[in-house]
């Protein structure tokens, strides 16, 4: 099928739903550990509590990718029904998660939230490949990254902004502050609204051969065998990209799960108070706990705001690439390599900065790597696989994202960081080294079509 080139606003409209998806991910990534700590989790317990996120991705994304490849509605298209279903479920989960009354309730909501976000997210990746000719793939994924950067920055600053409006950061022991509850409610609204915007402003191409599509769709009991066959026939470039993804996502899972305890403790010197260390029946000790807890909540707001900087710098990174890739080809391999190495340096700097203001530098560097992670691997992959299987391939590719996160959650982060010492900040050292390794693994990519767009010759 000859696909026409889309203009910037058409690509913007089809990608705008990612604003809501990133609101969900940024609030989850920036503040779930804070919610866990508020509800009594120790810092060593946090990675395991996060296991819901990668496990649901491992299960949900290949299924949704497979189903969306086999879906077609003249009115709703192929991917858009999944956008809507995921948006409704995600918005409900976002609203209710900060109202959790116990640790197990919050962990359960994380399962629901991440599964729901995944229902919307992977079809968005496939939509770029569905709609754009190969010459615009880099451009399309970079526009998505631009929108993701905007969403990350705004959502990460929501609790801080709500607090500045006068909403309290103080709360009783085991209760999430109202500033966080309102921030999550705003996120739920934005999630649903942005997805609806894409659904009503974007059309989709029908299957190229409708008769063949209907025959394929009519086949029964092919799901497991199709998934297994696609895994077995994975292109070499996809496997090599998987190695890069492994170390990249191990690093970012470490940040999402451990940045709040690491930075509140090491940089702000306001660790989460442990209620068991206070006799709450003594007024002075209760007051001391409340003071320490409020200081922890306020520094957690600041950590969230600093994490928003990586969204802002990834947005700037994407904007530069948008302007460049709209007219020229890029070497995706080297862009990705140097971006990951810069992000690794940003993580390592966290252990050595003299005050929290320098976190801005760290997260600017991390934003370069994040911007690249969200665009370059997908641009390289989509130029190396069968377009008819784009949904299921994108879902299978997600395994290289979730498996390292599962390994990190079940003890990988704690084990490796403890090799450097018991301080929580050592987790950020692990994230930095992992990103640098990921960057160097780009030397494995040798496929010319993956590295840069190759014009078709007559």
């Amino acid at each position: 099928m000859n696909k026409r080139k889309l203009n910037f606003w058409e690509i913007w409209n089809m990608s705008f739903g990612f604003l809501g998806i990133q609101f969900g991910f940024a609030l989850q990534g920036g503040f779930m550990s804070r919610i866990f700590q508020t509800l009594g989790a120790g810092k060593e317990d946090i990675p395991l509590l996060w296991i819901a996120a990668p496990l649901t991705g491992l299960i949900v994304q290949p299924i949704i990718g497979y189903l969306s490849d086999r879906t077609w509605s003249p009115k709703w298209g192929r991917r858009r029904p999944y956008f809507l279903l995921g948006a409704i479920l995600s918005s409900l989960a976002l609203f209710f998660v900060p109202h959790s009354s116990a640790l197990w309730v919050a962990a359960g909501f994380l399962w629901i939230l991440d599964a729901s976000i995944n229902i919307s997210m992977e079809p968005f990746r496939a939509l770029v490949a569905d709609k754009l000719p190969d010459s615009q793939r880099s451009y399309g994924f970079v526009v998505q990254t631009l929108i993701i950067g905007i969403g990350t920055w705004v959502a990460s600053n929501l609790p801080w902004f709500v607090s500045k409006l006068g909403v309290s950061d103080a709360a009783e022991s085991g209760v999430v502050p109202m500033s966080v509850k309102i921030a999550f409610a705003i996120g739920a609204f934005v999630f649903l609204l942005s997805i609806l915007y894409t659904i009503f402003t974007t059309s989709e191409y029908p299957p190229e051969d409708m008769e063949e599509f209907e025959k394929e769709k009519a086949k029964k009991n092919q799901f497991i065998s199709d998934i297994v066959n696609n895994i077995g026939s994975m292109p070499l470039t996809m496997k090599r990209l998987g190695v890069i993804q492994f170390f990249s996502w191990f690093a970012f899972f470490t940040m999402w799960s451990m940045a709040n305890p690491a930075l509140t403790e090491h940089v702000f010197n306001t660790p989460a108070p442990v209620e068991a260390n206070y006799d709450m029946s003594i007024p002075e000790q209760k007051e001391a706990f409340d003071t320490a807890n409020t200081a922890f909540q306020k520094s957690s707001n600041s950590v969230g705001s600093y994490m928003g900087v990586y969204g802002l710098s990834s947005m700037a990174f994407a904007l530069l690439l948008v302007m460049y890739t709209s007219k020229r080809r890029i070497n995706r391999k080297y862009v990705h390599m140097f971006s990951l190495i810069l992000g690794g340096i940003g993580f390592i700097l966290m252990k050595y900065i003299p005050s929290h203001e320098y976190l801005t530098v760290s997260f600017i560097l991390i934003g370069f790597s994040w911007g690249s992670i969200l665009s370059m691997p997908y641009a390289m992959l989509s130029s190396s696989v069968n377009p008819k299987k784009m949904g299921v391939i994108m879902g299978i590719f997600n395994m290289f994202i979730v498996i390292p996160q599962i390994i990190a959650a079940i003890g990988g982060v704690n084990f490796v960081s403890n090799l450097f010492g018991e301080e929580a900040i050592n987790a950020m050292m692990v994230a930095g080294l992992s990103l640098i390794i990921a960057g160097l693994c780009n030397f494995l990519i040798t496929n010319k079509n993956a590295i840069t767009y190759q014009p078709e010759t007559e």
Side-chain angles (χ1 to χ4, degrees):
M1 180 187 294
N2 291 321
K3 302 172 186 177
R4 70 177 180 86
K5 286 191 173 184
L6 303 187
N7 63 42
F8 172 81
W9 290 111
E10 288 175 309
I11 297 174
W12 175 272
N13 289 343
M14 67 185 261
S15 302
F16 190 76
F18 248 108
L19 179 72
I21 291 172
Q22 197 54 35
F23 259 70
F25 271 129
L27 289 168
Q28 173 185 297
F31 301 102
M32 276 309 301
S33 291
R34 172 186 183 174
I35 292 173
F36 289 150
Q37 287 185 281
T38 299
L39 295 172
K43 61 187 180 185
E44 68 282 351
D45 302 322
I46 290 174
L48 189 58
L49 289 167
W50 270 86
I51 198 170
L55 272 181
T56 52
L58 182 65
I59 297 166
V60 170
Q61 289 202 18
I63 295 173
I64 295 300
Y66 179 85
L67 292 176
S68 68
D69 279 346
R70 297 164 68 87
T71 296
W72 176 253
S73 161
K75 182 176 182 180
W76 295 104
R78 170 174 288 180
R79 315 295 181 186
R80 288 177 293 164
Y82 300 94
F83 299 167
L84 182 60
L85 175 62
I88 293 170
L89 295 175
S90 298
S91 297
L92 290 171
L94 271 172
F95 181 83
F96 285 110
V97 69
H99 295 271
S100 301
S101 57
L103 195 56
W104 68 268
V105 177
F109 269 123
L110 180 58
W111 282 88
I112 298 169
L113 176 60
D114 207 84
S116 303
I117 293 175
N118 276 302
I119 291 172
S120 287
M121 186 181 74
E122 209 54 41
F124 260 101
R125 296 290 188 200
L127 183 66
V128 170
D130 290 346
K131 291 277 290 180
L132 296 179
D134 193 50
S135 61
Q136 283 193 305
R137 295 275 173 83
S138 294
Y139 185 39
F141 284 115
V142 167
V143 171
Q144 277 194 356
T145 302
L146 174 63
I147 293 172
I148 287 169
I150 296 169
T152 300
W153 182 72
V154 176
S156 296
N157 279 283
L158 272 178
W160 172 84
F161 179 70
V162 170
S163 176
K164 289 296 182 184
L165 292 177
V167 180
S168 178
D169 288 317
E172 292 295 315
S173 173
V175 177
V176 177
M178 184 56 67
S179 59
V180 177
K181 292 177 180 177
I182 292 175
F184 272 68
I186 294 170
F189 176 76
V190 172
F191 197 119
L192 184 59
L193 202 65
S194 63
I195 293 284
L196 289 174
Y197 179 85
T198 286
I199 288 173
F200 290 116
T201 60
T202 302
S203 61
E204 296 185 67
Y205 288 120
E208 192 169 355
D209 185 334
M210 186 61 75
E211 185 178 343
E212 181 64 26
F213 174 79
E214 292 295 341
K215 286 181 181 178
E216 190 68 25
K217 184 178 174 182
K219 291 180 181 177
K220 302 293 184 182
N221 302 317
Q222 295 292 306
F223 171 69
I224 299 296
S225 60
D226 280 358
I227 294 288
V228 171
N229 288 338
N230 279 294
I231 292 173
S233 60
M234 203 181 295
L236 182 61
T237 298
M238 185 172 171
K239 295 176 183 176
R240 292 176 174 179
L241 282 169
V243 177
I244 299 167
Q245 292 288 82
F246 180 95
F247 289 104
S248 300
W249 287 88
F250 189 98
F252 272 87
F253 180 88
T254 301
M255 181 189 74
W256 293 323
S257 61
M258 293 302 294
N260 199 71
L263 298 179
T264 52
E265 177 185 297
H266 180 78
V267 179
F268 289 90
N269 297 311
T270 56
V274 179
E275 187 176 350
N277 295 337
Y278 297 81
D279 187 341
M280 303 298 275
S281 64
I282 300 173
E284 291 80 7
Q285 292 210 25
K286 184 180 186 304
E287 182 180 355
F289 174 87
D290 290 343
T291 300
N293 188 47
T294 300
F296 165 72
Q297 298 293 349
K298 286 187 177 297
S299 63
S300 295
N301 281 352
S302 297
V303 169
S305 295
Y306 279 118
M307 289 179 73
V309 171
Y310 87 83
L312 202 59
S313 66
S314 70
M315 181 176 67
F317 173 87
L319 192 58
L320 290 173
L321 284 182
V322 163
M323 292 187 290
Y324 192 86
T325 56
S326 64
K327 303 293 183 183
R328 303 173 183 87
R329 289 181 285 165
I330 59 170
N331 188 306
R332 300 160 180 164
K333 169 180 173 176
Y334 288 121
V335 167
H336 199 39
M337 176 187 296
F338 291 115
S339 300
L340 294 178
I341 291 172
L342 286 174
I345 293 169
F347 277 120
I348 292 170
L349 285 175
M350 290 178 180
K351 186 169 183 176
Y352 303 103
I353 57 176
S355 65
H356 65 82
E357 290 85 1
Y358 291 89
L359 285 173
T360 301
V361 176
S362 287
F363 280 112
I364 285 173
L365 296 176
I366 290 166
F368 295 155
S369 64
W370 183 237
S372 188
I373 285 169
L374 294 175
S375 53
M376 292 302 104
Y378 297 98
M380 288 190 271
L381 176 69
S382 64
S383 298
S384 311
V385 298
N386 183 350
K388 293 181 180 179
K389 298 181 177 181
M390 195 61 69
V392 70
I393 289 295
M394 289 291 183
I396 292 171
F397 191 56
N398 186 63
M399 292 192 308
F400 297 119
I401 294 174
V402 299
I403 289 173
Q405 294 183 67
I406 292 170
I407 292 172
I410 62 177
V413 170
N414 288 339
F415 174 77
V416 182
S417 63
N418 284 338
L419 297 177
F420 295 91
E422 295 183 359
E423 298 86 358
I425 195 62
N426 289 319
M428 300 300 99
M429 293 286 290
V430 171
L433 293 173
S434 188
L435 264 192
I436 290 171
I437 292 170
L440 296 175
C441 286
N442 276 273
F443 283 118
L444 296 172
I445 306 302
T446 56
N447 184 322
K448 291 181 179 179
N449 288 323
I451 292 170
T452 191
Y453 167 62
Q454 304 292 320
E456 293 183 9
T457 56
E458 296 295 332

